[in-house]
């Protein structure tokens, strides 16, 4: 069995969006494409209904591109345990109300035992100051947290 990875919505966005004029964002887009083209085959990949919902909003062409990327990726089921852990993350980390879907991404990956959560959301998910609290909340609830990382970090772990 291969390692498992949960693809948070920002990964899909970086894969399908036009190249940014911002240097750092463009570099992150290129790293995402490199991971997707050369490294994703090393992992069993998963998404959730939250990813589908987020990919389904915005410009019609962008929606079509995002949904095409995730079409064949298995979707993890939402359960009461997912909702409960997300609530605990919101309160225990704590996360602002606008980050509820971010808590749900973390929660669904943890509840399903996914090893890695791949994201470019460095505000509420891949945030060095929040990671220890996210991990503590998950463990206190009885779940092993996923390793939260960017494509660049995951390529360094799994060259």
């Amino acid at each position: 069995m291969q390692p498992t990875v949960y693809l948070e919505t920002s990964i899909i966005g970086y894969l399908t969006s036009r190249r940014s004029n911002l240097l750092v964002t463009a570099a992150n887009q290129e790293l995402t494409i490199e991971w997707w083209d050369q490294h994703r085959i090393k992992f069993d990949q998963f998404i959730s209904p939250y990813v589908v919902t987020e990919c389904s909003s915005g410009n019609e062409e962008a929606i079509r591109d995002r949904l095409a990327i995730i079409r064949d990726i298995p979707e993890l089921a939402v359960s009461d345990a997912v909702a409960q852990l997300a609530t605990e993350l919101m309160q225990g980390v704590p996360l602002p109300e606008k980050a509820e879907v971010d808590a749900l991404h973390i929660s669904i990956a943890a509840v399903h035992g996914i090893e890695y959560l791949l994201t470019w959301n460095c505000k509420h998910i891949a945030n060095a100051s929040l990671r220890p609290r996210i991990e503590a909340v998950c463990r206190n609830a009885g779940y092993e947290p996923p390793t939260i990382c960017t494509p660049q970090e995951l390529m360094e772990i799994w060259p």
Side-chain angles (χ1 to χ4, degrees), residues 132-149:
R133 289 181 268 170
I134 290 169
E135 292 170 357
V137 169
C138 289
R139 288 188 178 112
N140 287 339
Y143 302 102
E144 185 59 28
T147 299
I148 298 171
C149 55

Side-chain angles (χ1 to χ4, degrees), residues 8 54 89 95 98-107 117 121 123-125:
E8 186 267 334
E54 289 181 308
L89 286 164
L95 293 171
K98 66 181 179 180
E100 181 179 16
V101 75
D102 300 333
L104 288 164
H105 287 302
I106 297 164
S107 177
L117 190 162
N121 179 338
K123 186 165 189 171
H124 299 124
I125 301 177

Side-chain angles (χ1 to χ4, degrees), residues 5 8-10 23 26-27 35 37 45-47 61 63 67 77 79 82 86 89 95 115 118 122:
V5 64
E8 186 267 334
T9 314
S10 62
L23 185 59
W35 182 85
D37 290 345
Q45 304 148 54
F46 297 91
I47 58 169
E61 184 179 341
I63 292 169
L67 293 178
S79 64
V82 169
L89 286 164
L95 293 171
E115 294 169 79
L118 198 61
C122 296

Side-chain angles (χ1 to χ4, degrees), residues 31-92:
L31 285 165
T32 304
I33 292 167
E34 179 183 346
W35 182 85
W36 186 262
D37 290 345
Q38 299 175 25
H39 299 273
R40 75 180 165 111
I41 61 169
K42 301 172 190 171
F43 300 87
D44 290 330
Q45 304 148 54
F46 297 91
I47 58 169
S48 71
Y50 311 115
V51 173
V52 175
T53 298
E54 289 181 308
C55 284
S56 298
S57 67
N59 171 284
E60 285 187 36
E61 184 179 341
I63 292 169
R64 193 171 39 254
D65 292 345
R66 290 188 299 261
L67 293 178
I69 287 283
I70 63 173
R71 177 180 30 243
D72 297 324
I73 301 174
E75 229 177 275
L76 300 171
V78 176
S79 64
D80 290 341
V82 169
Q84 177 62 39
L85 181 56
T87 299
E88 291 175 28
L89 286 164
M90 292 293 293
Q91 296 169 353

